[in-house]
Amino acid sequence: MFRRLPEIETALKTAETVAFTIDGRPASARAGDSVAAALLANGVVACRNMPVSGAARGPYCMMGVCFDCLVTIDGTGNRQGCQVRVAPGMAVETQNGKREVER
Amino acid sequence: MSAPNSSYDFDIAVVGAGPAGLAAAALAASNGASVVLLDEQAEPGGQIYRAVTETPVRDRKVLGPDYWHGAELLGPLRDSGAVHWPGSTVWSVARPREDGPDGQRSIQIGLSRDGAAAMLTVRHVILATGALERPFPIPGWTLPGVLGAGAAQVLLKTSGLVPSGATVMAGSGPLLWLLAWQYLQAGARIDAILDTTPKENWRAALPLLPGFLRSPYLGKGMKLMLEVRRKLTVIGNVTALRAEGGVGSGGNEGVLKSVVYTRNGTEHRLPADTLLLHHGVVPNLNLANATGCAQRWDEQQRCWRPTTDEWGATSVEGVSLAGDGAGIGGARAAEEAGRLTALDALHRLGRIGREQRDRSAAPFRAALDRALTGRAFLDTLYTPAEAFRVPADDTIVCRCEEITAGAVREAVRLGCSGPNQAKSFLRCGMGPCQGRLCGPTVTEVIAAERGISPAEVGYYRLRPPVKPITLAELAALPKTDADIDAVFKH
């Protein structure tokens, strides 16, 4: 679980926040957050289930090398959450198993 | 921008906008070469200076003066005229060909940007791909709530996020202490630091201490460690570690619940919502490997590193390497190595003579030597214990394909001789991370099982694309008539 530093929490009240959804639920993040950071900031520690065992996984490296933070973003699966910035209205879905055809 | 080269897209492409890449691109472009700086992140800085232009953490004492030095590299880059393309993922660097527009050497680079692929033709490539955290395979390291210490630092720098709830840090090496210190400055909670530095490392490291006493890092490092030790619970001599899952304190299932560690032969359990692991860093060599650059096993740093000469030149003509991607030396060393590599690239492109290259290099080489002073001491002291490099059977080594150390050993008994064979036996290393998180471990597990050295076992042979690319991105590549002729029957 993660939280914002107090100075940033204060700034977020006035600065631009980004509204997006996680599995259809409304959520908000700081402009500039990666999708993976935005998930953690919203208390979502697991973002996908493994194709092999089904075990839950969450962001591990936050720099684009581990692929544990794969999520579906605006309908496209297998996106690296740590490499994409959260955008207004973005629909982020946790990913169950492997990427589906056409997603 | 400096005068574009009419027949190539750029004279030099630099891959990676960390300290080495920023310094290399700025120096090359300010000497008249046309330079493109390609980087995956949205802002320059690499990982060590991540988000230095836009971090929400305004209180300068939280991240410390070394971090803010990164900002000093950006002015020279801007003034140099180098073109910076953030958000660019380089997935291939082709072997050089002698078919450039002027009959000279040309190198094709494949990259993805804004969802479309593109090819660039350049004369010289400088790889500045930096480092990644050494794999730290323990039972349960795949549970949500377990992250790399480097990942936690990225979250702090980019988003001002720190752990809440019970937090344990575990491992060994300077970054662990730096992050703990930064968390202290930020007022974040740390319940315990589990230090896995093996006692016996001191015996091997002590003869190297005189070198370290001259290191510029000594004073800073000692001050930082003393402050952390005074204010936090540091538990030393940890010889075994595992993360246990269950229902977390946030109510989620299948996430980290506790950390179990062994000290003096006794097991102890700590409740934990977040576990941050760190066992030093290793070169991020996937792109160099896939480009065909020769590499060697570094016994002191216990990792593979691409072979380079004193100018960063690799075994592939026209491709050079700067910074931690060529062997771990830290940010300041990377910066100086970037400048040396750029000077040599300018020389190879005929822009400066040998004498000018050598004369200009002298101050950078002296600074590089200073930055590397004492490195051997740190490398030796912080070598992770064998139990953490060669894990027990039930530990997952390949996170992508969920392959355990036991499965790798079983494959060895069936005749698997090295990491490449492990791919066909087990799919080990064949997931999307392409061996980044298992490569060093798989090499060491196979070496131990076969009773030979990691150097003899070898490493994964990697091929482009070095990062997964979608068919849609590939289909968006501009096509020449020759490309179309190649696939259509007439």
Side-chain angles (χ1 to χ4, degrees), chain B residues 245-262:
Chain B
V247 180
S249 62
N252 300 302
E253 279 179 49
V255 302
L256 177 70
K257 199 170 160 47
S258 51
V259 178
V260 180
Y261 66 93
T262 304

Side-chain angles (χ1 to χ4, degrees), chain B residues 32-46:
Chain B
S34 67
V35 177
V36 65
L37 175 59
L38 304 166
D39 188 63
E40 215 170 6
Q41 304 301 330
E43 295 294 328

Side-chain angles (χ1 to χ4, degrees), chain B residues 218-285:
Chain B
L218 176 68
K220 278 191 284 195
M222 289 297 283
K223 186 168 164 283
L224 191 141
M225 275 180 80
L226 286 174
E227 202 174 329
V228 171
R229 284 186 174 278
R230 203 170 59 236
K231 294 183 178 163
L232 297 174
T233 308
V234 179
I235 298 163
N237 300 323
V238 170
T239 52
L241 199 59
R242 69 173 190 272
E244 290 179 334
V247 180
S249 62
N252 300 302
E253 279 179 49
V255 302
L256 177 70
K257 199 170 160 47
S258 51
V259 178
V260 180
Y261 66 93
T262 304
R263 183 171 191 265
N264 299 332
T266 312
E267 276 198 354
H268 306 266
R269 182 174 277 99
L270 288 170
D273 295 297
T274 305
L275 169 62
L276 304 176
L277 297 174
H278 182 72
H279 260 167
V281 297
V282 295
N284 186 356
L285 48 64

Side-chain angles (χ1 to χ4, degrees), chain A residues 30-34 82-85, chain B residues 16-19 22 37-56 67 70-71 74 77-78 84-88 113 154 157-158:
Chain A
R30 186 190 142 267
D33 278 349
S34 66
C82 73
Q83 299 296 90
V84 180
R85 289 195 171 195
Chain B
L22 290 169
L37 175 59
L38 304 166
D39 188 63
E40 215 170 6
Q41 304 301 330
E43 295 294 328
Q47 301 308 325
I48 202 82
Y49 303 133
R50 184 79 182 260
V52 71
T53 53
E54 54 164 16
T55 178
Y67 172 76
L74 302 175
L77 178 79
R78 242 184 338 261
H84 177 213
W85 282 359
S88 302
R113 212 176 169 226
V154 167
K157 289 170 182 169
T158 59

Side-chain angles (χ1 to χ4, degrees), chain A:
Chain A
M1 291 190 297
F2 283 80
R3 65 171 173 87
R4 304 274 181 190
L5 291 176
E7 60 162 324
I8 292 148
E9 199 66 65
T10 314
L12 265 180
K13 293 202 176 95
T14 50
E16 199 188 332
T17 57
V18 178
F20 71 112
T21 62
I22 304 171
D23 290 329
R25 297 186 311 274
S28 76
R30 186 190 142 267
D33 278 349
S34 66
V35 167
L39 288 172
L40 290 171
N42 281 277
V44 179
V45 288
C47 58
R48 68 158 171 150
N49 294 102
M50 294 302 286
V52 182
S53 69
R57 282 286 172 88
Y60 180 73
C61 81
M62 289 304 296
M63 56 178 271
V65 304
C66 79
F67 293 79
D68 274 333
C69 64
L70 294 180
V71 286
T72 299
I73 299 175
D74 291 335
T76 303
N78 271 5
R79 302 291 307 278
Q80 285 186 284
C82 73
Q83 299 296 90
V84 180
R85 289 195 171 195
V86 68
M90 189 178 255
V92 179
E93 295 165 78
T94 53
Q95 184 169 306
N96 191 13
K98 51 182 186 257
R99 188 181 177 193
E100 296 156 40
V101 175
E102 309 245 320
R103 257 168 85 90

